[in-house]
Amino acid sequence: MALSLKELSKKEETFVSGHRLCAGCGAGTTFRQILMAAEDPVVMSVATGCLYVATATYPYTAWKCNWIHSAFENSAATISGIEAAYQSLKRQGKVTKTIKFIAVGGDGGTFDIGLQALSGALERGHKFLYVCYNNEAYMNTGIQRSGATPMGASTTTTPAGSASYGKPVFRKDLTGIVAAHNIPYLAQTTPAHWRDLMTKVKKALAADGPSFLNILSPCHRGWRNEMKDSINLARIAADTCYWPLYEVENGEYKLNYIPKEKKPITEWLKPQGRFKHIFAKGGNSAETGSTHRSGPNQELINKLQANVDKEWEKLLKKCNQGDKKPDLETVGT
Amino acid sequence: MTGNNAVSEAMRQINPDVVAAYPITPQTEAVEEFAEFVANGLVKTQYVPVESEHSSMSACIGSSAAGARTMTATSSAGFALMWEMLPIAAGLRTPVIMYVANRSLSAPLNIHCGHDDTMGGRDSGWIQIYSENAQEMYDNLIQAVRIGEDMDIRLPVMVSMDGFITTHSVERVDLLDDEAVRKFVGEFKAINSLLDVDNPVTIGACALQDYYTEHKRQHSEAIINSKAKILEVAEEFAKMSGRKYGLFESYKLDDAEYALVIINSAAGVAKMVVNELRAKGVKVGLLKPRIFRPFPAEEIKNALKHLKAIAVMDRVDAFGAGGTPTFTEVRSAMYGLPKQPLMINYIYGIGGRDIRLEDINKVFQKLFDVAKAGKVDKVFDYLTVRE
Ligand SMILES: Cc1ncc(C[n+]2csc(CCOP(=O)(O)OP(=O)(O)O)c2C)c(N)n1
Ligand code: SF4
């Protein structure tokens, strides 16, 4: 499945310009890549969130594929019905084409409110790809914390203050939760690794059953980084092992990218305004939130680093690749 | 057969492309039976055993938008859990057909009849049909398909009957031939189908200050216009079955002086009392609404305007409102008449409490008193309550 930019540039785009996503939003890049990678026609079900409101405001649409939005927490349930209709009408000979189905949610619509619908749809075995574009907070409603928000991030519902260092708990491992459903294919990736992302979309759409992609999707409004740095930040997320690129194919874990040199977590934290308070003078104690300090909150930084290390080690064990290096060809960094 | 049996038989004959449902008492039995039809290959349906009612309605919306004839069923808490999706199904103009077994809402938890569920969804943009008994339920469900899918309407339809009272008791039901039903409902016509990949559509775009009002206005017109279609379908159904339906049933109303307005199964009990009183020469009658949305206000006004006194009885409270749902609708329909009948409002039978002949009799006695006094002392009251 070699992907060449030259070939891709000839392909007609399905996600087109004219949408109202912020300049530098990771979601736009992500979905352009996803739809570029799809070979068969797709039907999409998109949950409420930034991607929805910015791309489908009546009477405009940025989507040149069949597309539906019905609510916030139910894009997996909506696609279940569409896929069931496809099975029924195909059986009756009323639909003859091969069609692929993609359900989409932000991290809020997936990790939190939509988790039940996602779990149900995965368990029932509908043939569809679920994409979580994960910008680590509820961005559309103004940067509130979600189950995907990292510990220490300042959001509008977990603001850093004199008695708080931001979100007090670690994010949940949604990819792990999805893996527990024993579906044929799932993976994590970022739009900075376009070849990796597109290869994964192809594998996911070819899977015989449900598939899932958790895609770290930069949002400079919420992360408070420079607009131009969005994609680079996604790369740093993988280089610090904060967001490992891996896949689980029929239960087999595989790392797709091992950084040549694992960067410290501070490289991920520092460019982002949502972590600014961690480095400010008088950074709060990680344990108590008390403010009797004179430098950065080293305690919290250590905690975050230790968590990344622990999760990375756990993942390495699951991948059990020994000395075998991942196939960098496909990563395309 | 039971009311639930009648529903599953109707569903088998309608033979929908997709059914997505989640169990809740007293609806469950109908879907279980239908699942057996699926398991035995008697229908072409793709059955989706979803993980919740929120998802069943979501899946139904997706399926209907994909061009498949789609049905579901629920009751009470399940209806409440789907509530968010009900206006969405209607707003997206997906003609989903839903069977509802009317049941009271928690708390306290109760599995028996009350109209809390469907009355709570009366303004969600769906067409609502109520059924007195299993026969009506069966007939209404078949007609619902034609009404909702009409090209000028394209709206979801819910058809309900009383939980346990009708869903579980055994009655004689005349079934139509499979072939007759198949012909009557016809093929589902998809419009802007999500599976028509050569003609991509965006369904459910967001519409703000600039377009939302126009969308709602079109929806509003469609549901108001559905009244004529409902009558047209009823007429065609009468030709096929010999059973006649209207927007409501008028029982001995023409020359009546006193009447009750009651929805669903209790109307059956009330008819018996009407008969008894008529035998004694008292001019009483009954109006049983069948179509609650669109509410046939003008027609109901004309049917009731000559009366001296009317009691509207609801199987649901509307805590703190000026009256229960049917009462406020009927009273507002009567407003502006030069000579208005006196009107009172009763809540009865909630949580499945029995409604007996003597209870209905009491209501009529109250109506006689009110008419004699020429005024209403107490507009709203609970019937059969332990004080
Ligand atoms: C049932 C319900 N609750 C709340 C909302 C309000 N709401 C709309 S979008 C959104 C947040 C979306 O966050 P996420 O899924 O992370 O996507 P993002 O906007 O970040 O892309 C919320 C809370 C809603 N539309 N529906
Ligand atoms: S707020 Fe964030 S996620 Fe939303 S459009 Fe802007 S950059 Fe993208």
Side-chain angles (χ1 to χ4, degrees), chain A residues 52 56 58 61 66-67 69-70 73-74 81 88 91-92 97 116 124, chain B residues 17 44 46 51-52 58 84-85 88 196 198 201-204 206:
Chain A
Y52 164 56
Y58 188 86
T61 180
N66 280 300
W67 191 98
H69 162 269
S70 72
E73 61 282 59
N74 67 349
S88 175
R91 201 160 12 88
Q92 297 173 50
K97 289 203 170 141
Q116 172 186 306
R124 289 190 300 272
Chain B
D17 299 309
K44 64 184 178 190
Q46 186 79 14
E51 86 295 338
S52 76
S58 303
E84 184 201 9
M85 299 316 295
I88 297 178
D196 179 2
D198 299 325
V201 281
T202 292
I203 296 177
C206 85

PDB file of all heavy atoms in Angstrom, chain A residues 52 56 58 61 66-67 69-70 73-74 81 88 91-92 97 116 124, chain B residues 17 44 46 51-52 58 84-85 88 196 198 201-204 206:
ATOM      1  N   TYR A  52     -18.013  19.652  13.139  1.00  0.00           N
ATOM      2  CA  TYR A  52     -19.372  19.754  12.622  1.00  0.00           C
ATOM      3  C   TYR A  52     -19.764  21.197  12.323  1.00  0.00           C
ATOM      4  O   TYR A  52     -20.092  21.549  11.198  1.00  0.00           O
ATOM      5  CB  TYR A  52     -20.358  19.134  13.618  1.00  0.00           C
ATOM      6  CG  TYR A  52     -21.801  19.523  13.375  1.00  0.00           C
ATOM      7  CD1 TYR A  52     -22.402  19.288  12.139  1.00  0.00           C
ATOM      8  CD2 TYR A  52     -22.565  20.125  14.365  1.00  0.00           C
ATOM      9  CE1 TYR A  52     -23.726  19.653  11.908  1.00  0.00           C
ATOM     10  CE2 TYR A  52     -23.879  20.488  14.138  1.00  0.00           C
ATOM     11  CZ  TYR A  52     -24.457  20.254  12.909  1.00  0.00           C
ATOM     12  OH  TYR A  52     -25.757  20.617  12.677  1.00  0.00           O
ATOM     13  N   ALA A  56     -20.364  22.348   8.220  1.00  0.00           N
ATOM     14  CA  ALA A  56     -21.707  22.088   7.688  1.00  0.00           C
ATOM     15  C   ALA A  56     -22.680  23.079   8.283  1.00  0.00           C
ATOM     16  O   ALA A  56     -23.505  22.754   9.126  1.00  0.00           O
ATOM     17  CB  ALA A  56     -22.137  20.657   8.011  1.00  0.00           C
ATOM     18  N   TYR A  58     -25.669  25.313   7.263  1.00  0.00           N
ATOM     19  CA  TYR A  58     -26.627  25.461   6.179  1.00  0.00           C
ATOM     20  C   TYR A  58     -26.591  26.880   5.611  1.00  0.00           C
ATOM     21  O   TYR A  58     -26.541  27.824   6.383  1.00  0.00           O
ATOM     22  CB  TYR A  58     -28.039  25.147   6.722  1.00  0.00           C
ATOM     23  CG  TYR A  58     -29.097  25.073   5.678  1.00  0.00           C
ATOM     24  CD1 TYR A  58     -29.337  23.892   4.979  1.00  0.00           C
ATOM     25  CD2 TYR A  58     -29.861  26.200   5.378  1.00  0.00           C
ATOM     26  CE1 TYR A  58     -30.319  23.835   3.997  1.00  0.00           C
ATOM     27  CE2 TYR A  58     -30.832  26.139   4.400  1.00  0.00           C
ATOM     28  CZ  TYR A  58     -31.054  24.954   3.715  1.00  0.00           C
ATOM     29  OH  TYR A  58     -32.014  24.904   2.750  1.00  0.00           O
ATOM     30  N   THR A  61     -21.702  23.308   2.750  1.00  0.00           N
ATOM     31  CA  THR A  61     -21.105  22.076   3.252  1.00  0.00           C
ATOM     32  C   THR A  61     -19.714  21.927   2.643  1.00  0.00           C
ATOM     33  O   THR A  61     -19.478  22.362   1.515  1.00  0.00           O
ATOM     34  CB  THR A  61     -21.966  20.841   2.912  1.00  0.00           C
ATOM     35  OG1 THR A  61     -21.304  19.675   3.430  1.00  0.00           O
ATOM     36  CG2 THR A  61     -22.171  20.650   1.417  1.00  0.00           C
ATOM     37  N   ASN A  66     -21.612  11.493   1.116  1.00  0.00           N
ATOM     38  CA  ASN A  66     -22.848  11.464   1.900  1.00  0.00           C
ATOM     39  C   ASN A  66     -22.495  11.608   3.373  1.00  0.00           C
ATOM     40  O   ASN A  66     -21.550  10.972   3.858  1.00  0.00           O
ATOM     41  CB  ASN A  66     -23.624  10.184   1.623  1.00  0.00           C
ATOM     42  CG  ASN A  66     -24.394  10.288   0.335  1.00  0.00           C
ATOM     43  OD1 ASN A  66     -25.246  11.156   0.193  1.00  0.00           O
ATOM     44  ND2 ASN A  66     -24.071   9.449  -0.628  1.00  0.00           N
ATOM     45  N   TRP A  67     -23.286  12.373   4.047  1.00  0.00           N
ATOM     46  CA  TRP A  67     -22.855  12.861   5.358  1.00  0.00           C
ATOM     47  C   TRP A  67     -24.065  13.179   6.226  1.00  0.00           C
ATOM     48  O   TRP A  67     -25.046  13.735   5.747  1.00  0.00           O
ATOM     49  CB  TRP A  67     -22.055  14.141   5.084  1.00  0.00           C
ATOM     50  CG  TRP A  67     -21.295  14.728   6.196  1.00  0.00           C
ATOM     51  CD1 TRP A  67     -19.968  14.582   6.453  1.00  0.00           C
ATOM     52  CD2 TRP A  67     -21.803  15.642   7.190  1.00  0.00           C
ATOM     53  NE1 TRP A  67     -19.617  15.332   7.554  1.00  0.00           N
ATOM     54  CE2 TRP A  67     -20.725  15.992   8.020  1.00  0.00           C
ATOM     55  CE3 TRP A  67     -23.054  16.186   7.460  1.00  0.00           C
ATOM     56  CZ2 TRP A  67     -20.858  16.850   9.101  1.00  0.00           C
ATOM     57  CZ3 TRP A  67     -23.194  17.042   8.547  1.00  0.00           C
ATOM     58  CH2 TRP A  67     -22.099  17.367   9.354  1.00  0.00           C
ATOM     59  N   HIS A  69     -25.256  14.544  10.358  1.00  0.00           N
ATOM     60  CA  HIS A  69     -25.060  14.857  11.774  1.00  0.00           C
ATOM     61  C   HIS A  69     -26.411  14.670  12.436  1.00  0.00           C
ATOM     62  O   HIS A  69     -27.417  15.158  11.934  1.00  0.00           O
ATOM     63  CB  HIS A  69     -24.613  16.309  11.959  1.00  0.00           C
ATOM     64  CG  HIS A  69     -24.810  16.808  13.364  1.00  0.00           C
ATOM     65  ND1 HIS A  69     -25.969  17.437  13.776  1.00  0.00           N
ATOM     66  CD2 HIS A  69     -24.018  16.729  14.458  1.00  0.00           C
ATOM     67  CE1 HIS A  69     -25.868  17.740  15.061  1.00  0.00           C
ATOM     68  NE2 HIS A  69     -24.694  17.318  15.504  1.00  0.00           N
ATOM     69  N   SER A  70     -26.461  13.939  13.555  1.00  0.00           N
ATOM     70  CA  SER A  70     -27.746  13.881  14.240  1.00  0.00           C
ATOM     71  C   SER A  70     -27.671  14.399  15.669  1.00  0.00           C
ATOM     72  O   SER A  70     -28.578  15.074  16.120  1.00  0.00           O
ATOM     73  CB  SER A  70     -28.368  12.496  14.151  1.00  0.00           C
ATOM     74  OG  SER A  70     -27.692  11.578  14.939  1.00  0.00           O
ATOM     75  N   GLU A  73     -23.704  12.682  21.063  1.00  0.00           N
ATOM     76  CA  GLU A  73     -23.194  11.471  21.702  1.00  0.00           C
ATOM     77  C   GLU A  73     -23.452  10.210  20.885  1.00  0.00           C
ATOM     78  O   GLU A  73     -23.267   9.109  21.386  1.00  0.00           O
ATOM     79  CB  GLU A  73     -23.813  11.314  23.090  1.00  0.00           C
ATOM     80  CG  GLU A  73     -25.338  11.167  23.122  1.00  0.00           C
ATOM     81  CD  GLU A  73     -26.065  12.486  22.940  1.00  0.00           C
ATOM     82  OE1 GLU A  73     -25.841  13.117  21.887  1.00  0.00           O
ATOM     83  OE2 GLU A  73     -26.851  12.869  23.812  1.00  0.00           O
ATOM     84  N   ASN A  74     -23.905  10.346  19.654  1.00  0.00           N
ATOM     85  CA  ASN A  74     -24.470   9.169  19.011  1.00  0.00           C
ATOM     86  C   ASN A  74     -23.973   8.912  17.595  1.00  0.00           C
ATOM     87  O   ASN A  74     -24.677   8.276  16.821  1.00  0.00           O
ATOM     88  CB  ASN A  74     -25.993   9.314  18.980  1.00  0.00           C
ATOM     89  CG  ASN A  74     -26.400  10.457  18.072  1.00  0.00           C
ATOM     90  OD1 ASN A  74     -25.557  11.244  17.653  1.00  0.00           O
ATOM     91  ND2 ASN A  74     -27.649  10.536  17.740  1.00  0.00           N
ATOM     92  N   GLY A  81     -27.180   2.417  12.322  1.00  0.00           N
ATOM     93  CA  GLY A  81     -28.428   2.355  11.564  1.00  0.00           C
ATOM     94  C   GLY A  81     -28.169   2.435  10.070  1.00  0.00           C
ATOM     95  O   GLY A  81     -28.809   1.728   9.279  1.00  0.00           O
ATOM     96  N   SER A  88     -29.268  -4.448   4.829  1.00  0.00           N
ATOM     97  CA  SER A  88     -30.607  -4.866   4.433  1.00  0.00           C
ATOM     98  C   SER A  88     -30.844  -4.618   2.939  1.00  0.00           C
ATOM     99  O   SER A  88     -31.284  -5.508   2.213  1.00  0.00           O
ATOM    100  CB  SER A  88     -31.641  -4.102   5.269  1.00  0.00           C
ATOM    101  OG  SER A  88     -32.941  -4.399   4.835  1.00  0.00           O
ATOM    102  N   ARG A  91     -28.731  -6.864   0.675  1.00  0.00           N
ATOM    103  CA  ARG A  91     -29.298  -8.209   0.642  1.00  0.00           C
ATOM    104  C   ARG A  91     -30.492  -8.272  -0.309  1.00  0.00           C
ATOM    105  O   ARG A  91     -30.718  -9.258  -1.002  1.00  0.00           O
ATOM    106  CB  ARG A  91     -29.712  -8.610   2.065  1.00  0.00           C
ATOM    107  CG  ARG A  91     -29.846 -10.066   2.300  1.00  0.00           C
ATOM    108  CD  ARG A  91     -29.777 -10.499   3.775  1.00  0.00           C
ATOM    109  NE  ARG A  91     -29.849  -9.508   4.810  1.00  0.00           N
ATOM    110  CZ  ARG A  91     -30.988  -9.059   5.365  1.00  0.00           C
ATOM    111  NH1 ARG A  91     -32.152  -9.510   4.951  1.00  0.00           N
ATOM    112  NH2 ARG A  91     -30.952  -8.171   6.333  1.00  0.00           N
ATOM    113  N   GLN A  92     -31.247  -7.189  -0.339  1.00  0.00           N
ATOM    114  CA  GLN A  92     -32.426  -7.151  -1.211  1.00  0.00           C
ATOM    115  C   GLN A  92     -32.080  -6.737  -2.639  1.00  0.00           C
ATOM    116  O   GLN A  92     -32.971  -6.601  -3.481  1.00  0.00           O
ATOM    117  CB  GLN A  92     -33.455  -6.152  -0.655  1.00  0.00           C
ATOM    118  CG  GLN A  92     -34.002  -6.508   0.705  1.00  0.00           C
ATOM    119  CD  GLN A  92     -34.876  -5.369   1.242  1.00  0.00           C
ATOM    120  OE1 GLN A  92     -35.760  -4.872   0.573  1.00  0.00           O
ATOM    121  NE2 GLN A  92     -34.608  -4.949   2.470  1.00  0.00           N
ATOM    122  N   LYS A  97     -23.431  -1.025  -4.907  1.00  0.00           N
ATOM    123  CA  LYS A  97     -22.050  -0.562  -4.746  1.00  0.00           C
ATOM    124  C   LYS A  97     -21.465  -0.946  -3.393  1.00  0.00           C
ATOM    125  O   LYS A  97     -22.199  -1.123  -2.421  1.00  0.00           O
ATOM    126  CB  LYS A  97     -22.005   0.956  -4.886  1.00  0.00           C
ATOM    127  CG  LYS A  97     -22.251   1.408  -6.308  1.00  0.00           C
ATOM    128  CD  LYS A  97     -21.682   2.782  -6.558  1.00  0.00           C
ATOM    129  CE  LYS A  97     -21.753   3.047  -8.043  1.00  0.00           C
ATOM    130  NZ  LYS A  97     -22.115   4.390  -8.410  1.00  0.00           N
ATOM    131  N   GLN A 116     -20.742   5.092  25.383  1.00  0.00           N
ATOM    132  CA  GLN A 116     -21.700   3.986  25.397  1.00  0.00           C
ATOM    133  C   GLN A 116     -22.116   3.589  23.973  1.00  0.00           C
ATOM    134  O   GLN A 116     -22.128   2.407  23.621  1.00  0.00           O
ATOM    135  CB  GLN A 116     -22.930   4.399  26.193  1.00  0.00           C
ATOM    136  CG  GLN A 116     -24.057   3.405  26.113  1.00  0.00           C
ATOM    137  CD  GLN A 116     -25.305   3.915  26.793  1.00  0.00           C
ATOM    138  OE1 GLN A 116     -25.271   4.294  27.954  1.00  0.00           O
ATOM    139  NE2 GLN A 116     -26.395   3.931  26.080  1.00  0.00           N
ATOM    140  N   ARG A 124     -21.464  -4.828  18.594  1.00  0.00           N
ATOM    141  CA  ARG A 124     -22.399  -5.445  17.641  1.00  0.00           C
ATOM    142  C   ARG A 124     -21.740  -5.815  16.326  1.00  0.00           C
ATOM    143  O   ARG A 124     -22.331  -6.504  15.503  1.00  0.00           O
ATOM    144  CB  ARG A 124     -23.579  -4.501  17.370  1.00  0.00           C
ATOM    145  CG  ARG A 124     -24.540  -4.360  18.522  1.00  0.00           C
ATOM    146  CD  ARG A 124     -25.794  -3.620  18.094  1.00  0.00           C
ATOM    147  NE  ARG A 124     -25.524  -2.281  17.617  1.00  0.00           N
ATOM    148  CZ  ARG A 124     -25.459  -1.188  18.390  1.00  0.00           C
ATOM    149  NH1 ARG A 124     -25.645  -1.299  19.694  1.00  0.00           N
ATOM    150  NH2 ARG A 124     -25.213  -0.010  17.872  1.00  0.00           N
TER     151      ARG A 124
ATOM    152  N   ASP B  17     -37.366  -2.653   6.529  1.00  0.00           N
ATOM    153  CA  ASP B  17     -35.973  -2.981   6.169  1.00  0.00           C
ATOM    154  C   ASP B  17     -35.089  -3.061   7.406  1.00  0.00           C
ATOM    155  O   ASP B  17     -34.175  -3.882   7.470  1.00  0.00           O
ATOM    156  CB  ASP B  17     -35.419  -1.911   5.230  1.00  0.00           C
ATOM    157  CG  ASP B  17     -36.205  -1.817   3.939  1.00  0.00           C
ATOM    158  OD1 ASP B  17     -36.404  -2.866   3.302  1.00  0.00           O
ATOM    159  OD2 ASP B  17     -36.648  -0.704   3.579  1.00  0.00           O
ATOM    160  N   LYS B  44     -37.587  -9.567   5.873  1.00  0.00           N
ATOM    161  CA  LYS B  44     -36.301  -9.205   5.259  1.00  0.00           C
ATOM    162  C   LYS B  44     -35.497  -8.267   6.153  1.00  0.00           C
ATOM    163  O   LYS B  44     -34.427  -7.785   5.789  1.00  0.00           O
ATOM    164  CB  LYS B  44     -36.577  -8.525   3.921  1.00  0.00           C
ATOM    165  CG  LYS B  44     -37.317  -7.206   4.085  1.00  0.00           C
ATOM    166  CD  LYS B  44     -37.711  -6.539   2.784  1.00  0.00           C
ATOM    167  CE  LYS B  44     -38.479  -5.250   3.100  1.00  0.00           C
ATOM    168  NZ  LYS B  44     -39.116  -4.629   1.966  1.00  0.00           N
ATOM    169  N   GLN B  46     -33.270  -6.161   8.776  1.00  0.00           N
ATOM    170  CA  GLN B  46     -32.000  -6.178   9.493  1.00  0.00           C
ATOM    171  C   GLN B  46     -32.324  -5.681  10.896  1.00  0.00           C
ATOM    172  O   GLN B  46     -32.749  -4.542  11.078  1.00  0.00           O
ATOM    173  CB  GLN B  46     -31.004  -5.244   8.793  1.00  0.00           C
ATOM    174  CG  GLN B  46     -29.599  -5.294   9.363  1.00  0.00           C
ATOM    175  CD  GLN B  46     -28.816  -6.507   8.869  1.00  0.00           C
ATOM    176  OE1 GLN B  46     -29.228  -7.169   7.904  1.00  0.00           O
ATOM    177  NE2 GLN B  46     -27.705  -6.808   9.510  1.00  0.00           N
ATOM    178  N   GLU B  51     -27.832  -0.886  22.312  1.00  0.00           N
ATOM    179  CA  GLU B  51     -27.476  -0.921  23.734  1.00  0.00           C
ATOM    180  C   GLU B  51     -28.277   0.081  24.569  1.00  0.00           C
ATOM    181  O   GLU B  51     -28.083   0.159  25.780  1.00  0.00           O
ATOM    182  CB  GLU B  51     -25.965  -0.723  23.903  1.00  0.00           C
ATOM    183  CG  GLU B  51     -25.455   0.705  23.965  1.00  0.00           C
ATOM    184  CD  GLU B  51     -25.658   1.510  22.692  1.00  0.00           C
ATOM    185  OE1 GLU B  51     -25.818   0.904  21.618  1.00  0.00           O
ATOM    186  OE2 GLU B  51     -25.671   2.753  22.778  1.00  0.00           O
ATOM    187  N   SER B  52     -29.155   0.845  23.936  1.00  0.00           N
ATOM    188  CA  SER B  52     -29.998   1.779  24.691  1.00  0.00           C
ATOM    189  C   SER B  52     -31.036   2.367  23.756  1.00  0.00           C
ATOM    190  O   SER B  52     -30.917   2.264  22.537  1.00  0.00           O
ATOM    191  CB  SER B  52     -29.172   2.932  25.267  1.00  0.00           C
ATOM    192  OG  SER B  52     -28.854   3.858  24.241  1.00  0.00           O
ATOM    193  N   SER B  58     -31.317   6.846  17.462  1.00  0.00           N
ATOM    194  CA  SER B  58     -30.217   7.337  16.627  1.00  0.00           C
ATOM    195  C   SER B  58     -30.028   6.422  15.420  1.00  0.00           C
ATOM    196  O   SER B  58     -29.860   6.888  14.284  1.00  0.00           O
ATOM    197  CB  SER B  58     -28.911   7.385  17.419  1.00  0.00           C
ATOM    198  OG  SER B  58     -29.069   8.179  18.564  1.00  0.00           O
ATOM    199  N   GLU B  84     -34.159  13.232  23.415  1.00  0.00           N
ATOM    200  CA  GLU B  84     -33.302  14.147  22.646  1.00  0.00           C
ATOM    201  C   GLU B  84     -33.384  13.863  21.150  1.00  0.00           C
ATOM    202  O   GLU B  84     -33.323  14.775  20.318  1.00  0.00           O
ATOM    203  CB  GLU B  84     -31.838  14.011  23.093  1.00  0.00           C
ATOM    204  CG  GLU B  84     -30.930  15.006  22.382  1.00  0.00           C
ATOM    205  CD  GLU B  84     -29.461  14.618  22.390  1.00  0.00           C
ATOM    206  OE1 GLU B  84     -29.137  13.488  22.795  1.00  0.00           O
ATOM    207  OE2 GLU B  84     -28.646  15.443  21.975  1.00  0.00           O
ATOM    208  N   MET B  85     -33.540  12.578  20.816  1.00  0.00           N
ATOM    209  CA  MET B  85     -33.517  12.196  19.412  1.00  0.00           C
ATOM    210  C   MET B  85     -34.875  12.344  18.719  1.00  0.00           C
ATOM    211  O   MET B  85     -34.952  12.274  17.495  1.00  0.00           O
ATOM    212  CB  MET B  85     -33.020  10.752  19.263  1.00  0.00           C
ATOM    213  CG  MET B  85     -31.611  10.522  19.784  1.00  0.00           C
ATOM    214  SD  MET B  85     -30.447  11.812  19.317  1.00  0.00           S
ATOM    215  CE  MET B  85     -30.417  11.613  17.550  1.00  0.00           C
ATOM    216  N   ILE B  88     -35.104  15.375  16.639  1.00  0.00           N
ATOM    217  CA  ILE B  88     -34.111  15.248  15.564  1.00  0.00           C
ATOM    218  C   ILE B  88     -34.671  14.366  14.455  1.00  0.00           C
ATOM    219  O   ILE B  88     -34.575  14.693  13.271  1.00  0.00           O
ATOM    220  CB  ILE B  88     -32.762  14.734  16.123  1.00  0.00           C
ATOM    221  CG1 ILE B  88     -32.210  15.763  17.127  1.00  0.00           C
ATOM    222  CG2 ILE B  88     -31.771  14.476  15.002  1.00  0.00           C
ATOM    223  CD1 ILE B  88     -30.910  15.387  17.796  1.00  0.00           C
ATOM    224  N   ASP B 196     -27.025   6.726  -1.694  1.00  0.00           N
ATOM    225  CA  ASP B 196     -26.916   7.121  -3.102  1.00  0.00           C
ATOM    226  C   ASP B 196     -25.597   7.871  -3.260  1.00  0.00           C
ATOM    227  O   ASP B 196     -25.535   9.099  -3.223  1.00  0.00           O
ATOM    228  CB  ASP B 196     -28.105   8.015  -3.478  1.00  0.00           C
ATOM    229  CG  ASP B 196     -28.034   8.473  -4.926  1.00  0.00           C
ATOM    230  OD1 ASP B 196     -27.091   8.071  -5.642  1.00  0.00           O
ATOM    231  OD2 ASP B 196     -28.921   9.244  -5.339  1.00  0.00           O
ATOM    232  N   ASP B 198     -23.681   8.447  -5.671  1.00  0.00           N
ATOM    233  CA  ASP B 198     -23.446   9.294  -6.847  1.00  0.00           C
ATOM    234  C   ASP B 198     -23.994  10.702  -6.638  1.00  0.00           C
ATOM    235  O   ASP B 198     -23.657  11.625  -7.374  1.00  0.00           O
ATOM    236  CB  ASP B 198     -24.099   8.671  -8.090  1.00  0.00           C
ATOM    237  CG  ASP B 198     -23.499   7.304  -8.378  1.00  0.00           C
ATOM    238  OD1 ASP B 198     -22.279   7.154  -8.139  1.00  0.00           O
ATOM    239  OD2 ASP B 198     -24.231   6.389  -8.791  1.00  0.00           O
ATOM    240  N   VAL B 201     -25.203  13.956  -0.264  1.00  0.00           N
ATOM    241  CA  VAL B 201     -25.986  14.961   0.454  1.00  0.00           C
ATOM    242  C   VAL B 201     -25.413  15.173   1.844  1.00  0.00           C
ATOM    243  O   VAL B 201     -24.835  14.262   2.431  1.00  0.00           O
ATOM    244  CB  VAL B 201     -27.471  14.537   0.637  1.00  0.00           C
ATOM    245  CG1 VAL B 201     -28.259  14.765  -0.625  1.00  0.00           C
ATOM    246  CG2 VAL B 201     -27.586  13.093   1.111  1.00  0.00           C
ATOM    247  N   THR B 202     -25.586  16.371   2.347  1.00  0.00           N
ATOM    248  CA  THR B 202     -25.250  16.675   3.731  1.00  0.00           C
ATOM    249  C   THR B 202     -26.564  16.794   4.475  1.00  0.00           C
ATOM    250  O   THR B 202     -27.381  17.659   4.174  1.00  0.00           O
ATOM    251  CB  THR B 202     -24.460  17.997   3.823  1.00  0.00           C
ATOM    252  OG1 THR B 202     -23.181  17.799   3.225  1.00  0.00           O
ATOM    253  CG2 THR B 202     -24.263  18.432   5.272  1.00  0.00           C
ATOM    254  N   ILE B 203     -26.787  15.892   5.422  1.00  0.00           N
ATOM    255  CA  ILE B 203     -28.038  15.890   6.179  1.00  0.00           C
ATOM    256  C   ILE B 203     -27.746  16.349   7.601  1.00  0.00           C
ATOM    257  O   ILE B 203     -26.786  15.881   8.217  1.00  0.00           O
ATOM    258  CB  ILE B 203     -28.656  14.472   6.191  1.00  0.00           C
ATOM    259  CG1 ILE B 203     -29.026  14.058   4.760  1.00  0.00           C
ATOM    260  CG2 ILE B 203     -29.874  14.414   7.111  1.00  0.00           C
ATOM    261  CD1 ILE B 203     -29.588  12.653   4.643  1.00  0.00           C
ATOM    262  N   GLY B 204     -28.558  17.266   8.092  1.00  0.00           N
ATOM    263  CA  GLY B 204     -28.393  17.687   9.490  1.00  0.00           C
ATOM    264  C   GLY B 204     -27.366  18.783   9.686  1.00  0.00           C
ATOM    265  O   GLY B 204     -26.747  18.881  10.742  1.00  0.00           O
ATOM    266  N   CYS B 206     -26.002  22.537  10.450  1.00  0.00           N
ATOM    267  CA  CYS B 206     -26.537  23.416  11.491  1.00  0.00           C
ATOM    268  C   CYS B 206     -27.109  24.670  10.845  1.00  0.00           C
ATOM    269  O   CYS B 206     -26.594  25.167   9.854  1.00  0.00           O
ATOM    270  CB  CYS B 206     -25.512  23.680  12.586  1.00  0.00           C
ATOM    271  SG  CYS B 206     -24.342  24.969  12.357  1.00  0.00           S
TER     272      CYS B 206
END
